[in-house]
């Protein structure tokens, strides 16, 4: 439409609003802006006025108008309010508004992208039909009318009749068995006959004879046009058999690009993801509120969900709009709402009325079967809106059928915002008899991969295991309502018997349970007469109980979609419910790359802490029903993330549950970073180490890399307790590079250990003793010089000689040492330093003969070290009491002081003499 077209008058706008029952100009809007030429709202207004001009007595918009503009204008109306709400006043939450606004944005983008024709209407939405069956054609069968046909079809009035009182029941369903889609096995065929004939306003299309004649003439004209076009189409097909790499002059490229796509209705299919318990049903009712004139068809995968949806519609104020299914020849412009199953949809494909302008697909992942998805693709009239809680887990499949995602509100976001209950998790190892679950084969389905259920049932359905699980539930969750997922129907009933034997009010249910009995069991569960429901997969979807608190994954699953559906049963908030409790029967250290899905792998968490909040706000002291462990475990699979956990949570990691290699990594990190205040805790964290390898790694690393000198000496003193010769030898090598004072203290510690304990073989102990003596040669030389002045001359001759003289001087020193007592002889041999192989061999033989008893030799060398001085001298008394006792006391203290000073001078003189002898030896040629 030209931009110079004036805005319609207020009276015309009011007439159009009365016809379509929607507002074209909202409060506070400028009509010139809201109804700008070319905008979707202006196009809707112009088409409504055109219909009024064609039929001034029209009371309802045409089907074509409803399909294109009913939802768009309704969403604008709902979202224009400060607080969007439903008919009963329920205010939509932020994520529910996001679903509506995302769909509105997609619709506006699609409407603005289409090119309007002369009358302001998009060509893609022309040629309305009353019945969906007339449009269910393949891509090759669709006839594209000319522009003139489009104009005439757009201006052609819709067939309208007065509403009839009641409609007869639809035609009987075919008895042939249809192939069931995933998740549809629980709905029997008999439920199709249970229809409420008193639901909602419906109109029966009763066309007059002249209108039928006009339609027949139009069809004949279309057929004639097709016959005329056939020769041209055949000629074009023959011309296109040979490939061309050029374009003929005058050939329009746009005509080449205007081919019919494989999925013509893909642009009208949207989906959003909301976590289980976050209110997907309320969001769906937001679309019902938006569509005042267009019909809404809600599809779900189970019959019990049909009843739940109808109950929600009644409770939320839409009881008058509930309608039974509209089939061939039926129409209604009062916004009928019908809830049916995917099985019904597949069986009636081609017979559903075009009164439905919106189709809402609940649990959209269950609509991915071949028949259901094919029927959805073939129905090109309405707008499809899919909603699921697990779309991100199988996004590749969902986006194949619903290309455009309009909103996402996953489990983690819902828990963080407090929309659903927080989730706690505890992992329980299934035991030795059930650890072979990794050997259960995986079977690939249409949507995802799952364990072989028969093999899984054979592995888990064991009476001792069932009794152990029942005892565990009674011990840890007694009286807490929960749901247990078993491996098959028979396993569920056997578990129920085991639970009842433990005094737990439990009941097993399955798809074999009669519907009335199942409804009674679920009602008893809500009343509190039953605390635990045990099932295989029946209650994973379509069952909502805010009372459910514990979710026990006794039968593991390899499907994240199934796992999230199970967890969703305990995410709904309830008075007195602090958090949902999830029990995973896996080893505590199970990583994300394991086939078994866990809560931490589902949410991609790095750390597992038993009983702690995995997602959601932490509320301390508010009815917590699970003990929280102090220690944590890294459960992510990537090495970088695991090492980051080691760095961050080093002193809280449960080391006993780590792999053997990671246990050594932890021991090395802990030894390098332990502080004096955390020494005892670090040693206690290795209490499970029976072989001593981890303790040895911890101590050796502390000796080698710890920055605290006192801790290095402390770790060195703990190494002999391991009685590990390799660790002892490594420690002696390490202390050889320490500073002088630390090396002396370390040597004393190691010699004392050789005195007190028997470590390694005798030849090893002999080598260790003389290596330690070499580290402290100055100490033993100082003692020998003090004891025997001839030592200075003998050592000087040995140091200052070379060749044969050096070997002779070494033998002379050895011969002199034999004449001395054991302590002095050991000091002489320890102070000797050989420079030639012959002298080294002589000294080695003498040292070996002396070390026949290593503890005795270590004791003698240890005695050569000077004793430590007292840290604080005894405080002298300033004055006596005047008696002889006082004088005697002062005199004794004076004598002690004088004696101490004399000993100090003697030691200093000895040190000076040793220094002089070394200086003279270095100066001599």
């Amino acid at each position: 439409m030209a931009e110079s077209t004036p805005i319609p008058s207020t009276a015309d706008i009011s007439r159009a609003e009365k016809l379509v029952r929607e507002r074209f100009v909202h409060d506070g809007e400028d009509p010139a802006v809201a109804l700008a030429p070319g905008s979707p709202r202006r196009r809707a207004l112009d088409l409504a006025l055109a219909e009024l001009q064609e039929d001034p007595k029209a009371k309802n918009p045409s089907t074509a108008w409803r399909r294109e503009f009913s939802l768009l204008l309704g969403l604008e109306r709902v979202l224009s309010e400060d607080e969007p709400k439903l008919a009963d006043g329920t205010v939509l939450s932020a994520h529910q508004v996001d679903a509506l606004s995302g769909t509105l944005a997609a619709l506006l983008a699609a409407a603005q992208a289409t090119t309007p024709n002369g009358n302001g209407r998009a060509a893609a939405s022309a040629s309305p039909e009353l019945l969906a069956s007339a449009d269910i054609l393949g891509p090759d069968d669709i006839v594209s009318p000319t522009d003139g046909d489009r104009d005439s079809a757009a201006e052609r009035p819709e067939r309208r009749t007065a509403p009839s009182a009641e409609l007869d029941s639809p035609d009987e369903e075919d008895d042939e068995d249809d192939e069931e889609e995933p998740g549809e096995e629980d709905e029997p065929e008999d439920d199709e006959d249970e229809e409420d004939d008193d639901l909602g306003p419906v109109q029966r299309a009763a066309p007059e004879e002249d209108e039928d004649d006009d339609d027949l003439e139009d069809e004949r004209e279309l057929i004639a046009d097709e016959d005329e076009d056939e020769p041209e189409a055949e000629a074009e097909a023959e011309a296109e058999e040979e490939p061309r790499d050029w374009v003929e002059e005058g050939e329009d490229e746009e005509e080449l690009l205007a081919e019919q796509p494989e999925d013509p209705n893909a642009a009208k299919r949207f989906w959003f993801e909301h976590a289980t318990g976050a209110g997907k049903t309320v969001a769906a009712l937001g679309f019902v509120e938006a569509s005042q004139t267009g019909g809404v068809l809600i599809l779900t995968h189970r019959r019990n969900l049909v009843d739940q949806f109808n109950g929600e519609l009644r409770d939320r104020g839409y009881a008058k709009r509930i309608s039974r299914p509209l089939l061939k020849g039926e129409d209604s412009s009062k916004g009928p709402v019908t809830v049916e199953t995917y099985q019904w949809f597949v069986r009636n494909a081609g017979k559903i009325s075009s009164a439905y302008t919106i189709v809402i697909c609940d649990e959209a992942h269950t609509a991915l079967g071949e028949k259901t998805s094919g029927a959805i693709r073939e129905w090109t009239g309405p707008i499809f809106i899919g909603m699921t809680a697990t779309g991100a887990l199988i996004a590749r499949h969902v986006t194949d059928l619903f290309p455009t995602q309009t909103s996402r509100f996953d489990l983690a976001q819902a828990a963080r915002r407090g929309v659903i209950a927080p989730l706690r998790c505890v992992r329980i190892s299934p035991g030795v008899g059930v650890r072979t679950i990794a050997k259960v084969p995986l079977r690939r389905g249409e949507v995802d991969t799952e364990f072989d259920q028969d093999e899984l049932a054979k592995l888990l359905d064991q009476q001792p295991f069932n009794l152990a699980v029942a005892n565990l539930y009674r011990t840890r969750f007694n009286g807490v309502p929960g749901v247990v997922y078993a491996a098959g129907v028979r396993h569920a009933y056997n578990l129920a018997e085991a639970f009842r034997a433990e005094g737990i009010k439990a009941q097993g249910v399955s798809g074999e349970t009669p519907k009335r009995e199942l409804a009674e069991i679920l009602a008893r569960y809500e009343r509190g007469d039953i605390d635990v429901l045990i099932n295989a997969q029946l209650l994973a979807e379509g069952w909502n109980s805010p009372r459910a608190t514990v979710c026990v994954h006794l039968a593991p699953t390899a499907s994240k979609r199934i796992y999230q559906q199970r967890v969703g049963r305990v995410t709904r908030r309830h008075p007195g419910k602090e958090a949902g409790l999830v029990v995973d029967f896996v080893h505590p250290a199970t990583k994300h790359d394991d086939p078994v899905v866990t809560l931490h792998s589902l949410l991609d968490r790095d750390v597992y802490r038993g009983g702690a909040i995995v997602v959601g706000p932490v509320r301390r002291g508010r009815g917590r029903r699970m003990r929280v462990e102090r220690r944590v475990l890294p459960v992510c699979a990537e090495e970088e993330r695991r090492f980051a956990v080691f760095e961050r949570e080093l002193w809280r990691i449960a080391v006993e549950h780590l792999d053997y290699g990671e246990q050594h990594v932890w021991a090395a990190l802990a030894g390098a970073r332990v502080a004096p205040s955390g020494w005892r805790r670090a040693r206690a964290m290795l209490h499970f180490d029976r072989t001593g390898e981890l303790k040895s790694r911890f101590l050796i690393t502390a000796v080698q890399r710890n920055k605290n000198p006192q801790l290095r000496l402390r770790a060195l003193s703990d190494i002999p307790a391991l009685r590990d010769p390799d660790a002892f030898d490594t420690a002696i090598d390490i202390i050889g590079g320490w500073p002088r004072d630390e090396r002396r203290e370390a040597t004393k510690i190691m010699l004392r250990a050789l005195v007190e304990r028997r470590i390694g073989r005798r030849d090893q102990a002999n080598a260790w003793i003389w290596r330690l003596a070499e580290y402290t040669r100055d100490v033993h030389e100082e003692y020998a010089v003090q004891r025997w002045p001839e030592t200075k001359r003998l050592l000087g001759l040995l140091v200052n000689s070379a060749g044969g003289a050096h070997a002779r001087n070494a033998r002379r020193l050895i011969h002199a040492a034999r004449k001395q007592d054991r302590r002095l002889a050991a000091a002489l041999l320890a102070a000797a330093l050989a420079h030639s192989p012959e002298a080294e061999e002589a000294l080695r033989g003498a040292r070996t003969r002396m070390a026949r008893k290593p503890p005795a030799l270590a004791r003698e060398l240890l005695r050569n070290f000077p004793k430590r001085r007292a840290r604080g001298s005894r405080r002298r008394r300033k004055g006596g009491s005047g008696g002889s006792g006082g004088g005697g006391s002062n005199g004794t203290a004076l004598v002690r002081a004088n004696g101490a000073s004399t000993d100090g001078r003697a030691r200093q003189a000895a040190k000076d003499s040793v220094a002089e002898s070394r200086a003279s030896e270095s100066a001599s040629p």
Side-chain angles (χ1 to χ4, degrees):
M1 186 170 291
E3 300 208 359
S4 60
T5 304
I7 299 175
S9 63
T10 305
D12 291 340
I13 295 176
S14 299
R15 289 174 56 222
E17 289 179 346
K18 185 178 180 180
L19 173 69
V20 302
R21 296 196 290 277
E22 291 289 354
R23 301 188 63 182
F24 290 101
V25 180
H26 300 287
D27 295 338
E29 289 184 342
D30 184 4
V33 177
L35 299 177
S39 63
R41 203 184 299 181
R42 177 61 179 272
R43 288 167 48 202
L45 175 60
D46 292 341
L47 285 175
L49 293 175
E51 292 184 3
L52 286 174
Q53 184 178 2
E54 182 72 20
D55 184 6
K57 297 181 180 181
K59 296 182 179 179
N60 299 308
S62 64
T63 303
W65 191 98
R66 280 179 271 158
R67 281 185 170 179
E68 186 169 2
F69 298 110
S70 175
L71 179 60
L72 191 148
L73 295 182
L75 288 175
E76 288 184 338
R77 169 180 50 81
V78 173
L79 297 175
S80 65
E81 302 176 0
D82 294 336
E83 292 185 345
K85 59 178 69 70
L86 302 180
D88 66 337
T90 302
V91 178
L92 300 180
S93 59
H95 63 280
Q96 293 162 348
V97 173
D98 289 342
L100 302 182
S101 60
T103 306
L104 175 60
L107 291 175
L108 288 174
Q112 293 174 357
T114 57
T115 303
N117 56 18
N119 62 0
R121 175 129 181 221
S125 60
S127 183
E129 300 81 20
L130 181 62
L131 298 177
S133 58
D135 283 348
I136 300 182
L137 301 173
D140 300 331
D141 300 327
I142 296 177
V143 179
S144 57
T146 61
D147 293 340
D149 294 337
R150 287 196 192 97
D151 295 342
S152 61
E155 296 173 356
R156 186 181 304 149
E158 291 296 322
R159 292 174 291 180
R160 297 187 184 90
T161 59
S164 60
E166 288 287 284
L167 283 175
D168 297 334
S169 60
D171 297 338
E172 295 182 358
E173 305 295 340
D174 296 335
D175 295 332
E176 59 182 3
D177 295 334
D178 294 319
E179 181 182 353
E180 294 183 350
E181 301 294 336
E184 300 173 353
E185 66 278 359
D186 293 331
E187 180 194 353
E189 298 279 345
D190 300 338
D191 292 334
E192 298 302 329
D193 298 331
E194 299 176 2
E195 296 180 351
D196 190 357
D197 294 338
D198 298 331
L199 298 180
V202 180
Q203 291 180 347
R204 169 74 60 86
E208 298 179 358
E209 295 180 358
D210 55 349
E211 294 177 346
D212 291 340
D213 295 339
D214 295 339
D215 294 338
L216 291 175
E217 291 178 3
D218 294 339
E219 290 179 3
R220 294 191 188 99
E221 292 176 2
L222 288 175
I223 294 173
D225 294 338
E226 290 178 358
D227 295 336
E228 294 176 359
D229 295 337
E230 281 182 0
E232 299 178 4
E234 292 176 359
E236 292 176 2
E238 293 176 358
E240 291 178 358
E241 287 180 357
E242 296 183 1
R244 296 183 303 172
D245 55 358
W246 72 90
V247 179
E248 296 289 345
E249 294 184 1
E251 183 174 350
D252 191 1
E253 295 182 0
E254 294 183 358
E255 293 180 0
L256 296 177
L257 297 177
E259 297 178 356
Q260 183 67 33
E262 295 182 358
D263 195 355
N265 202 39
K268 297 171 66 177
R269 294 197 295 268
F270 314 98
W271 72 286
F272 63 90
E273 177 187 358
H274 282 179
T276 303
K280 292 192 300 295
T281 304
V282 176
L285 297 185
F287 291 99
V288 174
E289 172 66 24
S291 181
Q292 294 288 346
T293 56
V296 181
L297 176 60
I298 302 176
L299 299 177
T300 186
H301 65 296
R302 288 182 180 173
R303 175 58 57 182
N304 62 334
L305 294 181
V306 174
D307 300 333
Q308 290 186 14
F309 261 105
N310 284 325
E312 285 287 337
L313 288 169
R314 295 186 183 94
D315 296 340
R316 302 294 182 180
Y318 302 101
K320 294 183 179 180
R321 294 180 59 181
I322 298 176
S323 170
R324 63 178 179 80
L326 305 182
L327 297 178
K328 189 174 183 178
E330 301 172 354
D331 188 20
S332 175
S333 60
K334 296 184 179 180
V337 181
T338 302
V339 186
E340 269 298 342
T341 62
Y342 289 110
Q343 295 96 321
W344 175 90
F345 176 71
V346 171
R347 285 194 296 268
N348 290 276
K351 297 183 292 184
I352 305 174
S353 171
S354 61
Y356 298 114
T357 61
I358 306 171
V359 180
I360 298 177
C361 299
D362 185 32
E363 304 295 350
H365 56 273
T366 62
L368 303 179
E370 182 179 356
K371 286 190 175 182
T372 306
S373 61
I376 290 175
R377 285 187 171 95
E378 289 176 353
W379 195 7
T380 60
I383 296 172
F384 287 83
I385 300 173
M387 57 183 188
T388 179
T390 58
L393 307 180
I394 49 175
R396 181 177 61 87
H397 303 277
V398 173
T399 53
D400 287 345
L401 185 59
F402 301 92
T404 306
Q405 184 175 5
T406 58
S407 175
R408 184 182 180 187
F409 191 63
D410 57 17
L411 187 68
Q413 293 174 330
R416 283 194 296 266
R417 294 189 187 180
V419 176
I420 62 176
L423 292 176
R424 297 183 181 272
C425 180
V426 62
R427 293 182 173 185
I428 299 175
S429 182
V432 179
V434 194
R435 286 181 181 175
T436 58
I437 195 170
K439 299 180 180 179
V440 177
L442 294 171
R443 306 299 182 196
R444 184 168 184 82
E446 292 186 3
V447 178
D448 46 18
T449 304
E450 180 58 298
F451 289 110
D452 188 302
Q453 296 302 304
D454 295 335
E455 296 293 332
L456 196 62
K458 293 178 182 179
L459 180 65
L460 296 179
D461 194 5
Q462 304 174 14
Q463 186 65 15
F465 180 67
N466 296 341
L467 292 175
V469 172
N471 181 267
L472 173 71
Y473 195 98
R474 182 179 61 83
T475 303
R476 304 193 66 167
F477 310 109
N478 192 22
V480 182
V483 55
V484 180
Y485 292 95
V489 175
R490 183 53 49 196
H491 188 206
Y493 289 125
N494 292 340
L495 271 173
E497 293 179 1
F499 272 66
R500 287 192 292 268
E502 289 289 337
I504 303 173
K505 296 182 292 184
Q507 184 67 46
V509 294
S510 68
E512 301 174 359
T513 307
K515 287 195 171 183
R516 291 189 178 181
E517 182 181 349
L518 177 61
E520 177 60 27
I521 291 174
L522 298 180
R524 290 172 57 198
Y525 182 84
E526 293 297 329
R527 293 194 302 265
D529 299 336
I530 298 175
D531 286 336
V532 180
L533 289 175
I534 306 175
N535 72 106
Q537 196 62 22
L538 178 68
L539 303 181
E541 297 177 347
W543 171 67
N544 303 322
S545 175
R547 183 171 177 264
T549 304
V550 183
C551 176
V552 181
H553 298 279
L554 188 58
T557 177
S559 169
K560 290 187 176 182
R561 176 185 61 85
I562 294 177
Y563 188 95
Q564 182 165 326
Q565 291 288 355
R566 290 179 178 181
V567 173
R569 303 313 109 196
V570 298
T571 56
R572 285 172 171 78
R573 305 196 68 87
H574 188 67
K577 180 178 177 180
E578 183 263 348
L581 312 179
V582 181
V583 181
D584 289 330
F585 275 83
V586 294
H587 188 272
T590 300
K591 302 178 184 178
H592 295 350
D593 55 1
D594 194 274
V596 178
V597 180
T598 63
L599 185 61
H600 292 75
S601 65
L602 178 71
L603 300 174
D604 196 23
R605 294 296 185 264
D606 293 342
V607 177
Y608 162 72
R609 184 184 181 191
I613 292 286
V614 180
V615 62
V618 179
R619 297 178 175 88
R620 302 182 182 276
R622 292 191 178 184
R624 188 177 68 190
R625 298 187 177 184
M626 186 179 291
R627 181 179 61 86
V628 179
E629 299 177 2
R630 294 184 177 181
R631 296 186 296 170
V632 302
L633 275 171
V635 292
C636 48
E638 295 81 1
E639 290 187 1
E640 295 182 358
R641 294 172 61 184
R642 294 182 70 84
F643 289 154
V645 174
F646 273 66
E647 296 278 350
R648 185 175 67 250
E649 305 287 351
L650 183 64
W651 302 113
R652 296 203 304 163
I653 293 178
V655 189
E656 63 271 18
H657 294 309
L658 295 176
D659 296 338
Y660 180 77
E662 290 186 339
Q663 289 178 346
H664 277 269
V665 171
W666 183 92
L669 284 175
R673 299 184 182 184
V674 63
S677 59
W679 180 264
R680 294 181 61 185
R681 179 178 61 179
R683 291 296 306 274
M685 293 175 70
L686 296 174
H687 67 281
F688 64 93
D689 182 23
R690 303 300 181 186
T691 62
E693 295 181 0
L694 297 178
K695 295 177 183 177
S696 174
R697 183 68 178 271
F698 168 75
L699 295 174
I700 289 297
T701 309
V703 170
Q704 187 175 14
R705 297 172 53 191
N706 199 284
K707 297 180 180 180
N708 191 309
Q710 297 299 325
L711 278 183
R712 290 201 297 267
L713 295 176
R714 188 170 183 176
L716 193 66
S717 63
D718 289 344
I719 288 178
L722 302 176
R723 297 183 182 274
D724 183 3
D726 295 335
F728 198 87
D729 185 76
T730 303
I732 292 178
D733 290 340
I734 293 172
I735 64 177
W738 286 7
R740 176 175 176 272
D741 293 338
E742 293 183 23
R743 186 171 65 244
R744 180 177 294 185
E745 292 297 326
T747 302
K748 291 170 63 176
I749 292 173
M750 303 304 280
L751 289 174
R752 189 177 297 111
L754 290 172
V755 172
E756 297 174 353
R757 291 181 176 86
R758 183 176 179 178
I759 305 173
R761 302 185 307 272
R762 187 172 67 175
D763 59 330
Q764 289 179 316
N766 182 22
W768 292 335
I769 289 174
W770 292 113
R771 283 169 61 192
L772 292 171
E774 183 181 355
Y775 293 161
T776 55
R777 181 182 293 110
D778 56 343
V779 174
H780 305 296
E781 182 180 352
E782 181 180 353
Y783 170 76
V785 169
Q786 289 181 2
R787 280 282 310 274
W788 190 36
E790 187 66 14
T791 303
K792 182 177 180 181
R793 186 182 67 83
L794 294 175
L795 292 176
L797 291 175
L798 180 64
V799 170
N800 296 323
S801 59
H806 183 70
R808 289 193 298 272
N809 289 330
R811 288 191 290 271
R812 185 182 301 171
L813 178 64
I814 294 171
H815 182 72
R818 291 177 181 175
K819 299 179 181 180
Q820 307 299 327
D821 59 85
R822 189 178 184 85
R823 181 181 179 185
L824 182 57
L828 287 172
L829 294 178
L833 182 62
H835 299 309
S836 65
E838 187 178 357
E840 181 66 28
E841 185 66 25
L843 286 175
R844 185 183 299 111
R847 290 170 177 173
T848 301
R849 288 189 295 272
M850 181 170 287
R852 292 177 181 176
K853 294 182 179 180
L857 177 61
R859 186 181 296 107
E860 297 299 338
L861 292 176
L862 193 60
R863 291 173 61 188
N864 297 337
F865 288 87
K867 297 181 180 180
R868 292 183 180 180
R869 296 183 181 180
R871 292 185 178 180
S873 59
R874 187 176 298 176
R875 184 177 299 174
R876 299 180 181 179
R877 297 183 181 180
K878 294 183 179 180
S881 59
S884 59
S889 175
N890 292 337
T892 304
L894 182 60
V895 170
R896 291 175 179 173
N898 292 336
S901 61
T902 303
D903 294 340
R905 287 194 295 270
R907 293 194 188 94
Q908 186 64 33
K911 291 181 180 180
D912 295 338
S913 63
V914 172
E916 291 175 359
S917 63
R918 290 178 179 174
S920 61
E921 289 171 0
S922 61
S924 61

